[in-house]
Amino acid sequence: MSTPVSGSGSLQSPAAAAAAAAAAANAAAQTAGQSLINGSTGNATLDVNLLVSALVNTKIAGPSAMLLLQSQSDTTEITALANLSASLAGLQLALGPFANGSALSAFTANITGDGITATAGAGATAGTFAINTTQVAQAQNITSGAFTAAQGSALGTGTLNISVGGKSMTINVDSSNDSLADIATAINSSSSNPGVNATIVHGTNGDQLSLTSQATGAANVISVSVSGVQNDNGLSSLGVTSSVGTDTTGQSTIASSNASSPWTQSTKAQDAQLTIAGAAVTSASNTITNVLSGVTVTLTPDAAGKTQTLTIAQDSSTIEGDVSSFVTAFNAVVSQLNSLSAANTTNTAGGGGALLGDQMLNQIGQSLASIVGGSVSSGGLKTTLASLGITFNSAAAAGQSFAPLSLDSDTLDAAVQNNPAQVATLFNQTNGIAQQLNAVINTYTDPNTGVITSRTTALTNDIKSVGDQQDDLVALKAQLTQQFQDQFTALNNLMAQMETNTNFLTALFGGKNSAGSLAQGSG
């Protein structure tokens, strides 16, 4: 069985509890003893229940009190360790962006003017880049010639093969689906649709079939071939061939299979064409991710013909927010350490921290303070957290064992803006502040080998052992109660019989204050 930490928390020591319980039991036993004396002198019958209860409690009270206090002490310590572990886990969570490098890899992307948006992430590099957009990427849209109502309701039968960007599908047209609307529905619902949307345009000259590529880019052109036509009522005129342009713009062109009912191209298929930092860029999509590392540039139709300036810079607001979160989480650990180690200023059983006098608290506090108050060297640079405006708050630590941190936001902002290398040194991923603190914390919170984990396991096992011993005491109490009940009941019966016999003999022979029936009879 473990013993509670010296001076800990709000609990009386098991030894003191046992002594108090024993004293109370002895007092009860004295009262019960007087009952036995009274019974033996003929003044009263024995109070068997009082005697049994008193004697059983004399045996049980001390050990029972010790076990109860031990269980309460273990539970209090487990709760204290859990709270400490939670605060340390919170600090590790706050250290995450520095431990994995995401805090220092956060960048912002700013564009002058409109027509272009940009984002920057991991892998980005600070810099300024000119972007000159010649044209944006477009998805092709083509529309057939107009059909009369009679044609549109029954175009004839045959096979349509529709291709987009090298992929194709086949639509079989028979008498059940030979209307223009049916053909549009068949295109849109086909499981092999290569990436084209079909729409019926109801114009003044009749209905027309409009096809739009789902993907932008010069290569994603739409072609329709018609074969096996029978009862032709306009089906053959749906044939059209699109080609990627051969000029510098790469814009698509079309050729209809029926000159009398030609297709028209309202939007050409084309790639985005631009220069970034003077380098020519061609992209089938308006979202460009493979030119500047870690940077995504997105073009809108307004971008064409404009020159913009893209500025990539380290995201100071993210870094400052992560640093502030780290300071807050560190101070939460300090607050927990101070609470658990608080002195018992009232000199009462309820005063003092739950782990007052526990050396582990000093070890944790000193280790963390040593790291945040020390320096970090990397890449030829050496710096401290104080250079970011993070220092110990000695005023706030008055009367406490461990000092919290304070943060000067102006100093932090200046350091992040003007000396990013200093920040990178402090939080480098080899021997930076986050790596050092994580190593210390893991010593205590590791789920397999951590000190807190081991102590919690031992305390939990001790609570189980105490429970087993309490069960044994309950069984012993029942056994003693029955044993003493039998013994004192028999004694009480014997003493009652003796008193009856005494009364009979006194009545017969007389006593101190009476002559007795025999004496009276002889006269």
Side-chain angles (χ1 to χ4, degrees):
M1 184 189 307
S2 67
T3 56
V5 177
S6 175
S8 65
S10 60
L11 296 178
Q12 186 181 19
S13 72
N26 285 334
Q30 290 176 2
T31 301
Q34 188 61 49
S35 170
L36 181 60
I37 293 170
N38 291 339
S40 67
T41 58
N43 295 326
T45 58
L46 293 178
D47 188 338
V48 174
N49 291 333
L50 178 62
L51 278 167
V52 170
S53 176
L55 291 174
V56 170
N57 284 339
T58 301
K59 296 282 188 180
I60 299 298
S64 179
M66 288 187 68
L67 291 174
L68 177 61
L69 264 293
Q70 185 62 49
S71 177
Q72 292 174 338
S73 174
D74 288 347
T75 301
T76 298
E77 190 171 347
I78 287 174
T79 300
L81 292 173
N83 291 337
L84 176 59
S85 182
S87 66
L88 290 171
L91 177 55
Q92 281 192 305
L93 183 64
L95 290 170
F98 298 106
N100 60 31
S102 63
L104 302 183
S105 63
F107 286 83
T108 59
N110 294 307
I111 293 283
T112 59
D114 54 16
I116 300 177
T117 61
T119 59
T125 303
T128 301
F129 310 92
I131 300 178
N132 185 1
T133 306
T134 304
Q135 67 182 32
V136 298
Q138 293 181 166
Q140 186 186 34
N141 172 258
I142 58 176
T143 304
S144 72
F147 295 95
T148 65
Q151 288 178 309
S153 62
L155 290 171
T157 62
T159 301
L160 300 178
N161 184 273
I162 303 172
S163 64
V164 180
K167 299 179 180 180
S168 64
M169 66 177 172
T170 299
I171 303 295
N172 294 315
V173 181
D174 56 32
S175 59
S176 67
N177 67 342
D178 60 349
S179 72
L180 196 63
D182 288 337
I183 291 173
T185 298
I187 292 171
N188 290 333
S189 62
S190 173
S191 59
S192 58
N193 188 307
V196 61
N197 295 328
T199 304
I200 302 300
V201 179
H202 303 289
T204 56
N205 295 325
D207 289 348
Q208 296 172 268
L209 178 65
S210 179
L211 300 179
T212 304
S213 172
Q214 294 174 0
T216 59
N220 294 309
V221 292
I222 306 168
S223 293
V224 181
S225 64
V226 186
S227 62
V229 178
Q230 296 182 12
N231 302 318
D232 189 9
N233 195 27
L235 185 66
S236 61
S237 65
L238 291 179
V240 62
T241 300
S242 296
S243 303
V244 177
T246 57
D247 60 8
T248 56
T249 64
Q251 297 173 340
S252 60
T253 59
I254 63 172
S256 300
S257 61
N258 188 334
S260 63
S261 182
W263 286 74
T264 58
Q265 179 177 236
S266 58
T267 304
K268 299 176 181 179
Q270 66 184 32
D271 291 335
Q273 294 184 354
L274 64 159
T275 61
I276 298 179
V281 176
T282 300
S283 172
S285 169
N286 285 316
T287 300
I288 303 165
T289 60
N290 57 353
V291 177
L292 295 175
S293 178
V295 177
T296 298
V297 175
T298 303
L299 308 177
T300 69
D302 293 339
K306 295 180 180 179
T307 298
Q308 310 282 22
T309 299
L310 168 64
T311 301
I312 306 297
Q314 199 162 38
D315 187 354
S316 59
S317 63
T318 296
I319 296 174
E320 291 174 27
D322 289 336
V323 169
S324 179
S325 296
F326 153 64
V327 171
T328 299
F330 183 90
N331 287 344
V333 173
V334 169
S335 177
Q336 193 66 243
L337 291 172
N338 284 327
S339 174
L340 294 175
S341 63
N344 188 351
T345 57
T346 61
N347 293 319
T348 62
L355 296 179
L356 174 60
D358 194 318
Q359 288 302 308
M360 183 183 70
L361 300 184
N362 291 330
Q363 293 167 0
I364 294 174
Q366 291 170 4
S367 296
L368 299 184
S370 175
I371 292 171
V372 299
S375 61
V376 176
S377 298
S378 177
L381 296 177
K382 183 177 182 180
T383 187
T384 65
L385 281 174
S387 64
L388 301 187
I390 301 172
T391 56
F392 287 109
N393 188 343
S394 57
Q400 297 179 336
S401 300
F402 309 99
L405 296 175
S406 62
L407 172 63
D408 186 321
S409 299
D410 291 338
T411 302
L412 174 62
D413 182 64
V416 172
Q417 295 285 347
N418 304 322
N419 199 349
Q422 189 178 52
V423 180
T425 297
L426 275 169
F427 295 106
N428 78 84
Q429 291 184 266
T430 301
N431 66 334
I433 295 292
Q435 275 62 31
Q436 293 184 50
L437 289 174
N438 268 329
V440 170
I441 293 171
N442 285 335
T443 301
Y444 295 93
T445 62
D446 184 276
N448 298 314
T449 61
V451 175
I452 293 177
T453 303
S454 299
R455 285 182 57 168
T456 301
T457 300
L459 289 165
T460 302
N461 292 337
D462 192 51
I463 289 176
K464 182 179 182 303
S465 174
V466 168
D468 293 340
Q469 293 175 68
Q470 288 173 323
D471 290 341
D472 292 341
L473 275 180
V474 170
L476 177 60
K477 181 177 181 180
Q479 177 185 343
L480 291 174
T481 298
Q482 186 62 54
Q483 176 184 331
F484 291 153
Q485 189 80 38
D486 293 342
Q487 291 174 346
F488 285 104
T489 298
L491 178 60
N492 193 38
N493 292 337
L494 177 59
M495 294 174 67
Q497 184 62 46
M498 290 174 62
E499 184 176 358
T500 299
N501 292 340
T502 300
N503 291 338
F504 173 74
L505 292 174
T506 300
L508 188 61
F509 296 106
K512 181 177 180 181
N513 298 317
S514 65
S517 60
L518 289 179
Q520 293 173 357
S522 63

Short mmCIF file of all heavy atoms in Angstrom, two decimals, residues 474-521:
data_model
loop_
_atom_site.label_atom_id
_atom_site.label_comp_id
_atom_site.label_asym_id
_atom_site.label_seq_id
_atom_site.Cartn_x
_atom_site.Cartn_y
_atom_site.Cartn_z
N VAL A 474 -14.97 -6.11 6.06
CA VAL A 474 -16.42 -6.29 6.15
C VAL A 474 -16.74 -7.73 6.57
O VAL A 474 -17.61 -7.98 7.42
CB VAL A 474 -17.09 -5.96 4.80
CG1 VAL A 474 -18.56 -6.38 4.81
CG2 VAL A 474 -16.98 -4.46 4.50
N ALA A 475 -16.01 -8.67 5.96
CA ALA A 475 -16.22 -10.08 6.31
C ALA A 475 -15.82 -10.35 7.76
O ALA A 475 -16.52 -11.08 8.49
CB ALA A 475 -15.43 -10.97 5.35
N LEU A 476 -14.70 -9.75 8.20
CA LEU A 476 -14.25 -9.94 9.59
C LEU A 476 -15.25 -9.33 10.57
O LEU A 476 -15.54 -9.92 11.62
CB LEU A 476 -12.87 -9.30 9.77
CG LEU A 476 -12.30 -9.33 11.20
CD1 LEU A 476 -12.15 -10.78 11.68
CD2 LEU A 476 -10.96 -8.59 11.25
N LYS A 477 -15.80 -8.17 10.21
CA LYS A 477 -16.78 -7.52 11.08
C LYS A 477 -18.00 -8.41 11.27
O LYS A 477 -18.52 -8.57 12.39
CB LYS A 477 -17.18 -6.18 10.48
CG LYS A 477 -18.18 -5.41 11.33
CD LYS A 477 -18.49 -4.05 10.72
CE LYS A 477 -19.46 -3.27 11.60
NZ LYS A 477 -19.78 -1.94 11.03
N ALA A 478 -18.46 -9.01 10.18
CA ALA A 478 -19.62 -9.90 10.28
C ALA A 478 -19.31 -11.11 11.15
O ALA A 478 -20.14 -11.54 11.97
CB ALA A 478 -20.05 -10.33 8.88
N GLN A 479 -18.09 -11.63 10.99
CA GLN A 479 -17.68 -12.82 11.77
C GLN A 479 -17.60 -12.47 13.26
O GLN A 479 -18.11 -13.21 14.11
CB GLN A 479 -16.33 -13.32 11.26
CG GLN A 479 -15.78 -14.49 12.05
CD GLN A 479 -14.38 -14.88 11.58
OE1 GLN A 479 -13.96 -14.48 10.49
NE2 GLN A 479 -13.68 -15.63 12.38
N LEU A 480 -16.96 -11.35 13.60
CA LEU A 480 -16.82 -10.95 15.00
C LEU A 480 -18.17 -10.62 15.62
O LEU A 480 -18.44 -10.93 16.79
CB LEU A 480 -15.89 -9.74 15.11
CG LEU A 480 -14.41 -9.98 14.80
CD1 LEU A 480 -13.64 -8.67 14.82
CD2 LEU A 480 -13.81 -10.97 15.80
N THR A 481 -19.01 -9.94 14.83
CA THR A 481 -20.34 -9.60 15.34
C THR A 481 -21.11 -10.84 15.75
O THR A 481 -21.72 -10.90 16.83
CB THR A 481 -21.12 -8.81 14.28
OG1 THR A 481 -20.44 -7.59 13.99
CG2 THR A 481 -22.53 -8.49 14.77
N GLN A 482 -21.09 -11.85 14.89
CA GLN A 482 -21.81 -13.09 15.20
C GLN A 482 -21.20 -13.79 16.42
O GLN A 482 -21.92 -14.28 17.31
CB GLN A 482 -21.79 -14.02 13.99
CG GLN A 482 -22.65 -15.28 14.16
CD GLN A 482 -24.12 -14.93 14.35
OE1 GLN A 482 -24.72 -14.21 13.55
NE2 GLN A 482 -24.72 -15.42 15.44
N GLN A 483 -19.86 -13.81 16.45
CA GLN A 483 -19.16 -14.48 17.57
C GLN A 483 -19.48 -13.81 18.90
O GLN A 483 -19.87 -14.48 19.87
CB GLN A 483 -17.65 -14.46 17.30
CG GLN A 483 -16.82 -15.04 18.43
CD GLN A 483 -15.33 -14.89 18.14
OE1 GLN A 483 -14.92 -14.86 16.99
NE2 GLN A 483 -14.54 -14.79 19.18
N PHE A 484 -19.36 -12.48 18.96
CA PHE A 484 -19.63 -11.77 20.21
C PHE A 484 -21.11 -11.80 20.56
O PHE A 484 -21.49 -11.85 21.73
CB PHE A 484 -19.15 -10.32 20.11
CG PHE A 484 -17.65 -10.18 20.07
CD1 PHE A 484 -17.05 -9.08 19.44
CD2 PHE A 484 -16.82 -11.13 20.64
CE1 PHE A 484 -15.68 -8.94 19.40
CE2 PHE A 484 -15.44 -11.00 20.60
CZ PHE A 484 -14.85 -9.91 19.98
N GLN A 485 -21.97 -11.77 19.58
CA GLN A 485 -23.41 -11.83 19.83
C GLN A 485 -23.76 -13.14 20.54
O GLN A 485 -24.53 -13.15 21.51
CB GLN A 485 -24.16 -11.72 18.50
CG GLN A 485 -25.67 -11.55 18.65
CD GLN A 485 -26.06 -10.13 18.99
OE1 GLN A 485 -25.46 -9.19 18.48
NE2 GLN A 485 -27.04 -9.94 19.83
N ASP A 486 -23.19 -14.23 20.04
CA ASP A 486 -23.47 -15.53 20.66
C ASP A 486 -22.94 -15.58 22.10
O ASP A 486 -23.62 -16.06 23.02
CB ASP A 486 -22.83 -16.65 19.83
CG ASP A 486 -23.49 -16.80 18.46
OD1 ASP A 486 -24.63 -16.31 18.30
OD2 ASP A 486 -22.87 -17.41 17.56
N GLN A 487 -21.71 -15.09 22.28
CA GLN A 487 -21.08 -15.18 23.59
C GLN A 487 -21.81 -14.33 24.63
O GLN A 487 -22.11 -14.79 25.75
CB GLN A 487 -19.61 -14.73 23.49
CG GLN A 487 -18.73 -15.70 22.71
CD GLN A 487 -17.33 -15.18 22.51
OE1 GLN A 487 -17.06 -13.99 22.71
NE2 GLN A 487 -16.42 -16.07 22.09
N PHE A 488 -22.12 -13.08 24.29
CA PHE A 488 -22.75 -12.21 25.28
C PHE A 488 -24.22 -12.52 25.48
O PHE A 488 -24.79 -12.25 26.55
CB PHE A 488 -22.53 -10.75 24.92
CG PHE A 488 -21.13 -10.27 25.20
CD1 PHE A 488 -20.21 -10.10 24.18
CD2 PHE A 488 -20.72 -10.06 26.51
CE1 PHE A 488 -18.92 -9.69 24.46
CE2 PHE A 488 -19.42 -9.64 26.78
CZ PHE A 488 -18.51 -9.46 25.76
N THR A 489 -24.85 -13.07 24.49
CA THR A 489 -26.24 -13.52 24.70
C THR A 489 -26.27 -14.66 25.72
O THR A 489 -27.11 -14.69 26.63
CB THR A 489 -26.86 -13.96 23.38
OG1 THR A 489 -26.90 -12.85 22.48
CG2 THR A 489 -28.27 -14.48 23.58
N ALA A 490 -25.32 -15.59 25.57
CA ALA A 490 -25.24 -16.70 26.52
C ALA A 490 -24.91 -16.19 27.92
O ALA A 490 -25.48 -16.63 28.93
CB ALA A 490 -24.19 -17.71 26.05
N LEU A 491 -23.98 -15.25 28.01
CA LEU A 491 -23.62 -14.68 29.31
C LEU A 491 -24.80 -13.96 29.94
O LEU A 491 -25.04 -14.07 31.15
CB LEU A 491 -22.44 -13.72 29.14
CG LEU A 491 -21.97 -12.99 30.41
CD1 LEU A 491 -21.53 -14.00 31.48
CD2 LEU A 491 -20.84 -12.02 30.06
N ASN A 492 -25.52 -13.20 29.11
CA ASN A 492 -26.68 -12.47 29.62
C ASN A 492 -27.73 -13.43 30.15
O ASN A 492 -28.33 -13.21 31.21
CB ASN A 492 -27.26 -11.60 28.52
CG ASN A 492 -28.25 -10.58 29.06
OD1 ASN A 492 -28.06 -10.02 30.13
ND2 ASN A 492 -29.33 -10.36 28.32
N ASN A 493 -27.94 -14.54 29.44
CA ASN A 493 -28.91 -15.54 29.90
C ASN A 493 -28.45 -16.16 31.22
O ASN A 493 -29.25 -16.40 32.13
CB ASN A 493 -29.10 -16.61 28.84
CG ASN A 493 -29.80 -16.07 27.60
OD1 ASN A 493 -30.51 -15.06 27.68
ND2 ASN A 493 -29.62 -16.73 26.47
N LEU A 494 -27.14 -16.44 31.32
CA LEU A 494 -26.61 -17.05 32.55
C LEU A 494 -26.76 -16.11 33.73
O LEU A 494 -27.18 -16.51 34.83
CB LEU A 494 -25.13 -17.41 32.34
CG LEU A 494 -24.40 -17.99 33.55
CD1 LEU A 494 -25.08 -19.29 34.03
CD2 LEU A 494 -22.93 -18.23 33.22
N MET A 495 -26.44 -14.83 33.51
CA MET A 495 -26.55 -13.85 34.60
C MET A 495 -28.00 -13.65 35.00
O MET A 495 -28.32 -13.48 36.19
CB MET A 495 -25.92 -12.53 34.17
CG MET A 495 -24.39 -12.63 33.96
SD MET A 495 -23.66 -11.12 33.30
CE MET A 495 -23.91 -10.03 34.68
N ALA A 496 -28.90 -13.69 34.03
CA ALA A 496 -30.31 -13.56 34.36
C ALA A 496 -30.79 -14.74 35.21
O ALA A 496 -31.56 -14.59 36.17
CB ALA A 496 -31.14 -13.45 33.08
N GLN A 497 -30.29 -15.94 34.86
CA GLN A 497 -30.66 -17.13 35.63
C GLN A 497 -30.12 -17.05 37.05
O GLN A 497 -30.80 -17.41 38.02
CB GLN A 497 -30.13 -18.38 34.92
CG GLN A 497 -30.53 -19.70 35.59
CD GLN A 497 -32.04 -19.90 35.62
OE1 GLN A 497 -32.71 -19.69 34.61
NE2 GLN A 497 -32.60 -20.27 36.76
N MET A 498 -28.88 -16.55 37.17
CA MET A 498 -28.28 -16.41 38.49
C MET A 498 -29.08 -15.42 39.34
O MET A 498 -29.29 -15.64 40.53
CB MET A 498 -26.83 -15.94 38.36
CG MET A 498 -25.88 -17.00 37.77
SD MET A 498 -24.24 -16.34 37.49
CE MET A 498 -23.78 -15.91 39.17
N GLU A 499 -29.53 -14.34 38.76
CA GLU A 499 -30.31 -13.36 39.51
C GLU A 499 -31.64 -13.96 39.95
O GLU A 499 -32.10 -13.73 41.08
CB GLU A 499 -30.54 -12.11 38.64
CG GLU A 499 -31.25 -11.01 39.41
CD GLU A 499 -31.39 -9.74 38.59
OE1 GLU A 499 -30.90 -9.70 37.43
OE2 GLU A 499 -31.99 -8.77 39.10
N THR A 500 -32.24 -14.78 39.10
CA THR A 500 -33.50 -15.45 39.48
C THR A 500 -33.28 -16.37 40.67
O THR A 500 -34.07 -16.41 41.63
CB THR A 500 -34.04 -16.24 38.28
OG1 THR A 500 -34.30 -15.33 37.21
CG2 THR A 500 -35.34 -16.96 38.66
N ASN A 501 -32.19 -17.15 40.60
CA ASN A 501 -31.88 -18.06 41.70
C ASN A 501 -31.62 -17.30 42.99
O ASN A 501 -32.04 -17.70 44.08
CB ASN A 501 -30.68 -18.94 41.34
CG ASN A 501 -31.00 -19.92 40.22
OD1 ASN A 501 -32.18 -20.21 39.97
ND2 ASN A 501 -29.97 -20.41 39.53
N THR A 502 -30.91 -16.20 42.89
CA THR A 502 -30.61 -15.39 44.07
C THR A 502 -31.88 -14.86 44.71
O THR A 502 -32.07 -14.89 45.93
CB THR A 502 -29.67 -14.22 43.69
OG1 THR A 502 -28.46 -14.76 43.17
CG2 THR A 502 -29.38 -13.36 44.91
N ASN A 503 -32.78 -14.37 43.90
CA ASN A 503 -34.05 -13.84 44.40
C ASN A 503 -34.86 -14.93 45.09
O ASN A 503 -35.52 -14.71 46.12
CB ASN A 503 -34.84 -13.21 43.26
CG ASN A 503 -34.20 -11.93 42.74
OD1 ASN A 503 -33.41 -11.28 43.46
ND2 ASN A 503 -34.52 -11.55 41.51
N PHE A 504 -34.82 -16.15 44.56
CA PHE A 504 -35.58 -17.26 45.14
C PHE A 504 -35.02 -17.62 46.51
O PHE A 504 -35.76 -17.80 47.49
CB PHE A 504 -35.54 -18.47 44.21
CG PHE A 504 -36.15 -19.72 44.80
CD1 PHE A 504 -37.54 -19.86 44.93
CD2 PHE A 504 -35.34 -20.74 45.28
CE1 PHE A 504 -38.09 -21.00 45.50
CE2 PHE A 504 -35.90 -21.89 45.84
CZ PHE A 504 -37.28 -22.02 45.95
N LEU A 505 -33.69 -17.72 46.59
CA LEU A 505 -33.06 -18.10 47.86
C LEU A 505 -33.27 -17.01 48.91
O LEU A 505 -33.47 -17.30 50.10
CB LEU A 505 -31.57 -18.35 47.65
CG LEU A 505 -31.23 -19.60 46.79
CD1 LEU A 505 -29.75 -19.67 46.54
CD2 LEU A 505 -31.73 -20.88 47.49
N THR A 506 -33.21 -15.76 48.48
CA THR A 506 -33.44 -14.66 49.42
C THR A 506 -34.87 -14.71 49.96
O THR A 506 -35.12 -14.50 51.16
CB THR A 506 -33.17 -13.31 48.74
OG1 THR A 506 -31.82 -13.28 48.30
CG2 THR A 506 -33.43 -12.15 49.69
N ALA A 507 -35.79 -14.98 49.08
CA ALA A 507 -37.19 -15.06 49.53
C ALA A 507 -37.40 -16.23 50.48
O ALA A 507 -38.24 -16.17 51.40
CB ALA A 507 -38.10 -15.20 48.30
N LEU A 508 -36.62 -17.27 50.29
CA LEU A 508 -36.80 -18.46 51.10
C LEU A 508 -36.08 -18.35 52.45
O LEU A 508 -36.64 -18.66 53.52
CB LEU A 508 -36.29 -19.70 50.33
CG LEU A 508 -36.57 -21.06 50.95
CD1 LEU A 508 -38.09 -21.30 51.08
CD2 LEU A 508 -35.93 -22.17 50.12
N PHE A 509 -34.84 -17.90 52.40
CA PHE A 509 -34.02 -17.89 53.63
C PHE A 509 -33.83 -16.51 54.22
O PHE A 509 -33.28 -16.35 55.32
CB PHE A 509 -32.64 -18.50 53.34
CG PHE A 509 -32.70 -19.94 52.94
CD1 PHE A 509 -32.50 -20.35 51.64
CD2 PHE A 509 -32.97 -20.93 53.90
CE1 PHE A 509 -32.56 -21.67 51.27
CE2 PHE A 509 -33.01 -22.27 53.52
CZ PHE A 509 -32.81 -22.65 52.21
N GLY A 510 -34.18 -15.52 53.46
CA GLY A 510 -34.01 -14.17 53.96
C GLY A 510 -32.71 -13.56 53.56
O GLY A 510 -31.79 -14.24 53.13
N GLY A 511 -32.66 -12.29 53.73
CA GLY A 511 -31.45 -11.57 53.37
C GLY A 511 -31.17 -10.50 54.37
O GLY A 511 -31.65 -10.54 55.51
N LYS A 512 -30.41 -9.51 53.91
CA LYS A 512 -29.98 -8.44 54.81
C LYS A 512 -31.17 -7.67 55.37
O LYS A 512 -31.18 -7.28 56.53
CB LYS A 512 -29.02 -7.50 54.06
CG LYS A 512 -28.49 -6.37 54.93
CD LYS A 512 -27.49 -5.53 54.13
CE LYS A 512 -26.96 -4.39 54.98
NZ LYS A 512 -26.03 -3.53 54.23
N ASN A 513 -32.16 -7.48 54.55
CA ASN A 513 -33.29 -6.65 54.98
C ASN A 513 -34.59 -7.44 55.14
O ASN A 513 -35.67 -6.85 55.27
CB ASN A 513 -33.50 -5.51 53.97
CG ASN A 513 -32.29 -4.59 53.89
OD1 ASN A 513 -31.73 -4.25 54.94
ND2 ASN A 513 -31.91 -4.21 52.69
N SER A 514 -34.53 -8.74 55.08
CA SER A 514 -35.74 -9.55 55.24
C SER A 514 -35.41 -10.86 55.92
O SER A 514 -34.30 -11.37 55.79
CB SER A 514 -36.40 -9.80 53.88
OG SER A 514 -35.54 -10.59 53.07
N ALA A 515 -36.41 -11.44 56.62
CA ALA A 515 -36.18 -12.69 57.38
C ALA A 515 -36.36 -13.93 56.52
O ALA A 515 -35.79 -14.98 56.82
CB ALA A 515 -37.14 -12.75 58.56
N GLY A 516 -37.14 -13.83 55.42
CA GLY A 516 -37.36 -15.00 54.57
C GLY A 516 -38.55 -15.80 55.05
O GLY A 516 -38.92 -15.80 56.22
N SER A 517 -39.14 -16.52 54.13
CA SER A 517 -40.36 -17.27 54.44
C SER A 517 -40.12 -18.40 55.41
O SER A 517 -40.95 -18.71 56.27
CB SER A 517 -40.99 -17.82 53.15
OG SER A 517 -40.08 -18.69 52.50
N LEU A 518 -38.99 -19.05 55.37
CA LEU A 518 -38.71 -20.15 56.29
C LEU A 518 -38.53 -19.62 57.69
O LEU A 518 -39.00 -20.23 58.68
CB LEU A 518 -37.45 -20.90 55.85
CG LEU A 518 -37.58 -21.75 54.56
CD1 LEU A 518 -36.27 -22.42 54.24
CD2 LEU A 518 -38.68 -22.79 54.71
N ALA A 519 -37.86 -18.52 57.85
CA ALA A 519 -37.66 -17.93 59.18
C ALA A 519 -39.00 -17.52 59.78
O ALA A 519 -39.26 -17.72 60.97
CB ALA A 519 -36.72 -16.73 59.11
N GLN A 520 -39.87 -16.96 58.95
CA GLN A 520 -41.17 -16.54 59.44
C GLN A 520 -42.01 -17.75 59.85
O GLN A 520 -42.73 -17.75 60.85
CB GLN A 520 -41.90 -15.72 58.36
CG GLN A 520 -41.22 -14.38 58.08
CD GLN A 520 -41.85 -13.64 56.90
OE1 GLN A 520 -42.75 -14.19 56.26
NE2 GLN A 520 -41.36 -12.45 56.64
N GLY A 521 -41.88 -18.83 59.10
CA GLY A 521 -42.65 -20.03 59.40
C GLY A 521 -42.22 -20.68 60.70
O GLY A 521 -43.00 -21.28 61.41
#
